[in-house]
């Protein structure tokens, strides 16, 4: 696997896949930001499951500013809520 040291990766969604990916990427040296539209209270269990991992949390939405310093971004699931379309249109292929 490519060394991910000093690579900032944004994961959108703290579902099972997002949590597993955050753990994996952090173990390989990435600077991980886990973003979820839910509020902190509803993610207590998820946050506890990553308490031993150096992960930055951005909760309550998916601010576009997260991408300003990102080297990569990924979605943790295929479910798209109301916040994702703007994110996709702003940074997706063919955006003008």
């Amino acid at each position: 696997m490519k060394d991910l040291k000093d690579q900032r990766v944004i994961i959108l969604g703290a579902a099972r896949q997002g949590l597993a990916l955050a753990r994996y990427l952090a173990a390989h040296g990435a600077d991980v930001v886990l973003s979820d539209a839910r509020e902190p209270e509803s993610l207590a269990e998820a946050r506890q499951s990553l308490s031993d991992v150096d992960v930055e949390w951005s909760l309550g939405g998916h601010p576009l500013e997260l991408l300003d310093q990102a080297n990569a971004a990924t979605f943790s699931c295929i479910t798209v809520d109301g916040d994702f379309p703007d994110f996709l249109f702003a940074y997706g292929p063919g955006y003008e």
Side-chain angles (χ1 to χ4, degrees), residues 14 19 23 40-51 57:
L19 299 175
R23 181 174 295 281
E41 316 67 71
S42 65
L43 288 164
E45 187 176 324
R47 295 180 77 183
Q48 178 60 35
S49 75
L50 289 179
S51 63
W57 291 84

Side-chain angles (χ1 to χ4, degrees), residues 13-47:
R16 271 189 320 224
Q17 301 92 330
L19 299 175
L21 185 57
R23 181 174 295 281
Y24 178 84
L25 293 173
H28 288 281
D31 177 18
V32 177
V33 178
L34 191 49
S35 176
D36 197 279
R38 294 174 285 176
E39 296 299 325
E41 316 67 71
S42 65
L43 288 164
E45 187 176 324
R47 295 180 77 183

